[in-house]
Amino acid sequence: MTIFLQSLDYQLWHIIVNGPRFPMRTVEGVESMKPENEYNDNDFRMLQLNSKAKHVLFYAVGPNEFNRISSCDTAKEMWDLLEVTYEGTNQVKESKISMLVHEYEFFLMHDNESISDMFTRFTTIINSLKNLGKSYSNQERKILRCLPKSWTPKVTAIEEAKDLSTFSLEQLLGSLMTHETTMKNHENVEVKKKKSIALKASKEESESDEE
């Protein structure tokens, strides 16, 4: 929603976050609302932006949410109400952040989990935290630390060969997926060798029994 609003008009997002800017005037040092007959083109544009933002929000929500926000006068009031509805109060947010931080700090790759699936779980946690105003640096190092012991040689090789401060998360993902493919190919070759040896031993045993 944020990107959509900003793509329509960046000032829409500014008005939703900070509230509309009502036309004001100062008379003898006292500030008050301008009467409508004194509005200039810029005043009308700023008021129109609030109406436009409300219009976008009305069309973006379902019937239940529409009933909640239909009586709001400004787009900011509408947004704040929707934010509490979906994200909860500050106390609820803190609880969510605490839970996600715990998931992040104790994040590990599961047994038989692919790099892609692990990365999807990790990204979900990171994005959820970011949406709640909490972000982490050194995500690449965190990913390396969550890998099982069988990945230790690869982790060591990356840490020695790469500068993790300039090595992007996408580059790391590509490197790990390539190594994962190589490991699987080696495993398949070993399985085929074992099957071939077992089959050969079985044939030799069968021939020996016949003799």
Side-chain angles (χ1 to χ4, degrees), residues 142-154:
K142 178 63 179 179
I143 286 288
L144 292 177
R145 292 290 178 267
C146 84
L147 298 173
K149 288 184 178 180
S150 58
W151 284 76
T152 299
K154 180 61 177 178

Side-chain angles (χ1 to χ4, degrees), residues 149-167:
K149 288 184 178 180
S150 58
W151 284 76
T152 299
K154 180 61 177 178
V155 171
T156 303
I158 290 176
E159 289 179 333
E160 291 179 349
K162 304 293 183 182
D163 180 2
L164 292 180
S165 64
T166 60
F167 197 48

Side-chain angles (χ1 to χ4, degrees), residues 74-87:
T74 67
K76 176 174 173 53
E77 291 176 9
M78 295 165 64
W79 185 264
D80 290 344
L81 186 56
L82 289 171
E83 194 173 32
V84 170
T85 301
Y86 286 100
E87 295 186 3

Side-chain angles (χ1 to χ4, degrees), residues 1-67:
M1 177 60 78
T2 302
I3 300 300
F4 176 67
L5 287 163
Q6 291 174 348
S7 68
L8 292 176
D9 189 329
Y10 205 91
Q11 289 190 61
L12 286 180
W13 179 242
H14 185 270
I15 283 175
I16 285 176
V17 173
N18 300 298
R21 194 180 71 191
F22 294 108
M24 305 295 289
R25 68 175 181 176
T26 303
V27 179
E28 297 180 353
V30 179
E31 191 175 50
S32 61
M33 285 278 294
K34 274 186 183 181
E36 190 171 335
N37 59 4
E38 293 183 13
Y39 287 178
N40 56 36
D41 290 343
N42 187 58
D43 293 333
F44 280 116
R45 168 168 167 71
M46 295 308 298
L47 291 172
Q48 183 184 28
L49 282 172
N50 180 60
S51 296
K52 189 175 182 180
K54 289 176 64 178
H55 175 81
V56 172
L57 292 175
F58 278 140
Y59 274 87
V61 300
N64 292 333
E65 290 79 9
F66 178 85
N67 290 332

Side-chain angles (χ1 to χ4, degrees), residues 28-204:
E28 297 180 353
V30 179
E31 191 175 50
S32 61
M33 285 278 294
K34 274 186 183 181
E36 190 171 335
N37 59 4
E38 293 183 13
Y39 287 178
N40 56 36
D41 290 343
N42 187 58
D43 293 333
F44 280 116
R45 168 168 167 71
M46 295 308 298
L47 291 172
Q48 183 184 28
L49 282 172
N50 180 60
S51 296
K52 189 175 182 180
K54 289 176 64 178
H55 175 81
V56 172
L57 292 175
F58 278 140
Y59 274 87
V61 300
N64 292 333
E65 290 79 9
F66 178 85
N67 290 332
R68 291 192 187 99
I69 65 175
S70 59
S71 61
C72 295
D73 293 323
T74 67
K76 176 174 173 53
E77 291 176 9
M78 295 165 64
W79 185 264
D80 290 344
L81 186 56
L82 289 171
E83 194 173 32
V84 170
T85 301
Y86 286 100
E87 295 186 3
T89 61
N90 288 335
Q91 186 177 4
V92 174
K93 286 183 183 179
E94 288 300 322
S95 177
K96 288 181 179 179
I97 290 173
S98 178
M99 179 186 68
L100 289 167
V101 166
H102 182 272
E103 288 185 28
Y104 176 86
E105 291 178 349
F106 291 92
F107 185 85
L108 290 173
M109 185 174 177
H110 294 158
D111 293 338
N112 300 320
E113 184 178 31
S114 69
I115 290 294
S116 179
D117 290 342
M118 178 272 292
F119 188 75
T120 298
R121 284 197 304 115
F122 183 78
T123 304
T124 299
I125 295 172
I126 290 298
N127 289 342
S128 298
L129 282 167
K130 187 176 180 180
N131 290 334
L132 292 170
K134 176 76 173 178
S135 59
Y136 280 95
S137 58
N138 298 325
Q139 295 176 18
E140 297 79 11
R141 195 171 295 281
K142 178 63 179 179
I143 286 288
L144 292 177
R145 292 290 178 267
C146 84
L147 298 173
K149 288 184 178 180
S150 58
W151 284 76
T152 299
K154 180 61 177 178
V155 171
T156 303
I158 290 176
E159 289 179 333
E160 291 179 349
K162 304 293 183 182
D163 180 2
L164 292 180
S165 64
T166 60
F167 197 48
S168 71
L169 206 56
E170 290 72 21
Q171 289 175 311
L172 177 60
L173 174 64
S175 178
L176 294 178
M177 291 180 71
T178 300
H179 184 66
E180 180 182 51
T181 301
T182 302
M183 290 174 64
K184 286 182 178 179
N185 288 339
H186 287 166
E187 288 176 2
N188 290 336
V189 170
E190 289 299 320
V191 169
K192 288 180 180 179
K193 282 183 179 179
K194 288 180 180 179
K195 286 184 177 179
S196 177
I197 293 173
L199 180 61
K200 183 178 179 180
S202 177
K203 285 183 178 180
E204 291 176 350

